[in-house]
Amino acid sequence: MTQIQKKTVAIGDFEVGGKLPLALIAGPCQLESLDHARMMAEKIAEACAPTDTKFVFKASYDKANRSSITTQRGLGMDEGLTILSKIREEFGVPVLTDVHDAAQCAPAGEAVDVLQIPAFLCRQTDLLLAAGQTGCAINVKKGQFLAPWDMGNVADKIASTGNERIMLCDRGTSFGYNTLVTDFRGLPTMGKTGYPVVFDATHSVQQPGGQGTTSGGQREFAPVLARAAVAVGVSMLFIETHEDPDNAPSDGPNMIPIEQMEALITQLRTYDALTKDQFGLM
């Protein structure tokens, strides 16, 4: 049997992948203001500190795939990238945001450490190539419509630019109307590419369009799925969080309240150590 060469990806001052400790991508779904981003970054740092868990701060400047034309999209690219740059500088943490168009990649790549390809856009070749050409780390979300083994083709598009700083992220698979399901076989399947695998615990409990003009969700199941993914051996977890999820402008039903994050991270790091020390890699 061919041995898979496990790659690691450098993000800021740490690396992810292989048997390295679990790291976190965390933040609010949508950027709200500089003050709010500062508050969230500080609270996430506090939640990660007891376990020395490395994290990437994430927030989107534009939610271009909202359910309805009437729902809030965000602050826009210029203001959003300015805020993310300040968070990176002030807190010394890497930052991540989504890109939706090839033209956004170069300017976004100057301001952030990780470019994220939304699930709906994971097969858009021009977008993948433009993202790869920035040299940034790239987190690609697997389309809800895509088989996990098809993510090898997605990774190959990015790698064709010479950039192999690639992470493959599962966020659930379409399962009937307004419902997603997670097939945990998909995580080691994507791991066969050699690239680090990320599990998006909060979008995996989303109910797309489930509230008519907005998406619903079942946040109570996000920690359950996160534990399962860590037991499989993922490199990173993606968890959106907010101080008041029920009143957040986007994806509130999925997000975990920030006051619950420290206990959850501590629990997940325990699972991660057990998995990687005793059961090896995916």
Side-chain angles (χ1 to χ4, degrees):
M1 183 175 180
T2 303
Q3 182 70 31
I4 299 167
Q5 183 64 41
K6 294 292 184 180
K7 300 177 175 67
T8 59
V9 173
I11 307 173
D13 63 354
F14 64 91
E15 292 188 344
V16 297
K19 296 191 75 169
L20 292 170
L22 181 75
L24 188 67
I25 298 170
C29 180
Q30 187 178 126
L31 278 171
E32 299 177 33
S33 68
L34 176 57
D35 286 345
H36 184 262
R38 282 173 171 151
M39 181 269 291
M40 290 302 304
E42 182 175 5
K43 288 183 177 294
I44 294 167
E46 290 172 354
C48 289
T51 52
D52 192 29
T53 297
K54 305 300 183 183
F55 78 97
V56 177
F57 179 81
K58 71 79 47 187
S60 299
Y61 58 77
D62 179 17
K63 299 302 294 184
N65 54 358
R66 296 304 304 273
S67 297
S68 169
I69 192 66
T70 63
T71 47
Q72 298 181 50
R73 284 184 54 166
L75 300 177
M77 188 172 183
D78 292 343
E79 184 178 0
L81 292 180
T82 298
I83 290 173
L84 289 167
S85 293
K86 289 181 178 179
I87 296 299
R88 177 168 65 176
E89 180 181 354
E90 293 176 13
F91 289 87
V93 297
V95 294
L96 172 154
T97 197
D98 301 282
V99 286
H100 299 89
D101 183 87
Q104 296 178 356
C105 293
E110 294 292 324
V112 305
D113 302 271
V114 185
L115 296 179
Q116 182 165 276
I117 308 298
F120 289 135
L121 301 176
C122 70
R123 289 181 55 170
Q124 296 298 108
T125 301
D126 289 345
L127 177 60
L128 295 171
L129 295 178
Q133 288 163 358
T134 66
C136 290
I138 312 296
N139 185 41
V140 192
K141 292 198 173 183
K142 183 187 76 66
Q144 301 92 325
F145 49 87
L146 204 64
W149 46 86
D150 290 330
M151 287 297 283
N153 293 328
V154 174
D156 287 345
K157 290 182 181 182
I158 300 170
S160 73
T161 69
N163 182 356
E164 293 194 346
R165 299 177 65 203
I166 301 166
M167 300 174 291
L168 304 179
C169 180
D170 191 286
R171 56 140 302 159
T173 300
S174 295
F175 185 72
Y177 299 122
N178 306 124
T179 306
L180 299 172
V181 67
T182 298
D183 179 357
F184 286 98
R185 297 173 300 177
L187 302 177
T189 298
M190 291 197 299
K192 289 180 180 179
T193 63
Y195 295 109
V197 173
V198 183
F199 180 69
D200 181 345
T202 44
H203 284 101
S204 291
V205 300
Q206 187 184 62
Q207 295 169 316
Q211 296 182 349
T213 59
T214 60
S215 292
Q218 295 175 296
R219 74 170 70 99
E220 67 271 22
F221 293 119
V224 177
L225 296 186
R227 290 194 295 269
V230 172
V232 174
V234 295
S235 297
M236 299 188 83
L237 280 176
F238 178 109
I239 298 177
E240 288 188 335
T241 182
H242 197 276
E243 84 285 0
D244 184 13
D246 290 335
N247 291 297
S250 177
D251 275 352
N254 315 326
M255 289 196 281
I256 293 177
I258 186 63
E259 67 267 18
Q260 298 177 15
M261 286 292 285
E262 181 178 329
L264 177 60
I265 292 166
T266 300
Q267 182 185 74
L268 293 170
R269 284 296 303 272
T270 300
Y271 276 62
D272 179 65
L274 176 65
T275 298
K276 290 174 181 172
D277 289 347
Q278 297 193 28
F279 299 106
L281 302 178
M282 291 187 295

